[in-house]
Amino acid sequence: MATVFAKMLEEFGLIEKILAMMCDNTSNNNVMVEELSELAPEFTGSASHFLHIINLIAKSLIHQFDMKKMTTDRDAELAELGRELADKEVILLSETKREDDNELAEEVDNDEGWVDEIEELTEEERVELERTYVQ
């Protein structure tokens, strides 16, 4: 990898402009600097442990916002229970709505087919209706 990297740096004229090197861990940093020093004597950079530490800190901060995967059987089981409960709730709500609709239909129609509209009035509407009849 150092050979390819050194060749690229030389092609772009960057070999003498690099001050520090950072790879994914300390041993890789040291090896890369040693290899580049041997391949390109004009390379005067060093391994930057400071940048490596900054990189590790950034990764740990970003990791705090990662979504956790459901890797345990317990998590999968809880998720399945949640889905089952949601399905049961939908069924219960639809059954309750049907029962409410049936009760409402029975309340609206009496035995003779007449609807008592006064029962459907709010208290304020009833008071207003009684007031208009009294006058």
Side-chain angles (χ1 to χ4, degrees), residues 4-44:
V4 174
F5 189 62
K7 185 177 177 184
M8 182 198 67
L9 291 174
E10 286 178 15
E11 285 179 15
F12 288 99
L14 300 174
I15 196 77
E16 47 298 307
K17 296 179 182 174
I18 293 185
L19 299 175
M21 179 71 54
M22 184 190 73
C23 296
D24 62 349
N25 64 39
T26 301
S27 63
N28 286 349
N29 283 341
N30 294 337
V31 170
M32 182 66 102
V33 168
E34 288 173 16
E35 291 289 321
L36 281 176
S37 296
E38 290 174 12
L39 293 169
E42 56 273 352
F43 174 71
T44 58

Side-chain angles (χ1 to χ4, degrees), residues 2 21 63 80 97 120 129 131:
M21 179 71 54
H63 180 69
E80 180 61 29
K97 182 174 180 348
E120 295 181 12
L129 181 64
R131 188 181 63 74

